């Protein structure tokens, strides 16, 4: 069996290559889900990703709404933690929170989104419709359609509640 490099966007042309991709996506999904959380600020609900060991969480600006607001972070196992919104950038629809409890959290490292290429495989993770114990996180596989100056377009389908969830490259680094 010859391994093929799909990290830069190669498409599988055989069942063996498709199975190789599926195996990688399953492993990647497991790694990414530990750092992907539900975020609730007032009546707003979305998804976020822990980006530092001490509990900084990135999400969408429209999920947190503003700075200095109380928030609830729900870990994948359902544990609820208090957090505080720190700030946002509406131009890029990004926001930052900090989990109040001092602990060591699983986190994902930032990637370099400017290096993304059209056709490159990515994974989006989120809580469509909000956190649900019986469903857990949902991941979607897709490709980069366009990497512009202020936005990345993919063919990963997203629905309400997914906002703020991580878009990761095939190494598991957060690129959007």
């Amino acid at each position: 069996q010859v391994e093929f490099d799909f990290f830069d966007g190669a498409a599988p042309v055989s069942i063996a290559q498709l199975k190789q991709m599926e195996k990688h996506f399953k492993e990647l999904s497991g790694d990414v889900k530990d750092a992907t959380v539900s975020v609730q600020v007032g009546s707003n609900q979305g998804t976020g990703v822990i980006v530092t060991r001490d509990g900084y969480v990135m999400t969408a600006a429209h999920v947190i709404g503003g700075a200095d607001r109380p928030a609830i972070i729900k870990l994948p196992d359902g544990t609820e933690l208090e957090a505080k919104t720190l700030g946002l950038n509406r131009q890029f629809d990004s926001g930052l929170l900090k989990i109040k409890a001092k602990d060591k959290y699983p986190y994902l490292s930032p990637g370099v989104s400017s290096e993304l290429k059209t056709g490159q495989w990515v994974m989006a993770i989120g809580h469509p419709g909000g956190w649900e114990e019986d469903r857990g996180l949902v991941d979607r596989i897709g490709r980069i359609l366009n990497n512009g100056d202020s936005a990345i377009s993919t063919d990963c389908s997203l629905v309400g509640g997914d906002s703020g969830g991580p878009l990761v490259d095939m190494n598991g680094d957060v690129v959007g």
Side-chain angles (χ1 to χ4, degrees):
Q1 173 179 335
V2 176
E3 300 226 358
F4 81 112
D5 184 11
F6 57 89
F7 278 48
D8 286 328
V13 295
S14 69
I15 297 296
Q17 289 179 347
L18 187 59
K19 285 181 179 182
Q20 181 183 340
M21 284 181 70
E22 178 183 36
K23 180 181 178 199
H24 180 78
F25 286 134
K26 282 182 180 180
E27 291 169 359
L28 180 63
S29 177
D31 294 342
V32 171
K33 286 183 178 181
D34 289 342
T36 303
V37 297
S38 176
V39 176
Q40 185 161 1
V41 181
S43 62
N44 295 347
Q45 191 280 323
T47 303
V49 59
I50 303 172
V51 293
T52 64
R53 172 87 50 217
D54 59 346
Y56 283 88
V57 178
M58 286 180 53
T59 189
H62 70 269
V63 171
I64 65 170
D68 297 320
R69 298 179 71 194
I72 298 294
I73 300 295
K74 195 174 277 193
L75 301 177
D77 68 1
T79 302
E80 289 189 8
L81 301 169
E82 292 182 7
K84 183 177 182 179
T85 63
L86 300 177
L88 51 88
N89 181 324
R90 290 198 192 280
Q91 178 183 356
F92 296 106
D93 195 20
S94 63
L96 189 66
L97 305 96
K98 175 70 170 78
I99 299 171
K100 290 182 178 182
K102 295 191 184 301
D103 203 346
K104 292 182 179 176
Y105 298 97
Y107 68 97
L108 297 180
S109 298
V112 183
S113 59
S114 62
E115 294 178 2
L116 294 173
K117 295 176 179 54
T118 300
Q120 186 173 340
W121 292 99
V122 289
M123 179 184 287
I125 311 281
H127 288 286
W131 188 90
E132 292 182 23
E133 181 178 5
D134 295 338
R135 183 199 57 225
L137 286 154
V138 176
D139 52 51
R140 295 153 182 107
I141 306 304
R143 288 179 152 179
I144 298 295
L145 300 176
N146 185 34
N147 187 7
D149 292 334
S150 63
I152 299 166
S153 298
T154 77
D155 58 4
C156 297
S157 298
L158 301 177
V159 299
D162 288 334
S163 292
L167 179 71
V168 298
D169 63 16
M170 292 296 94
N171 295 313
D173 295 328
V174 179
V175 293

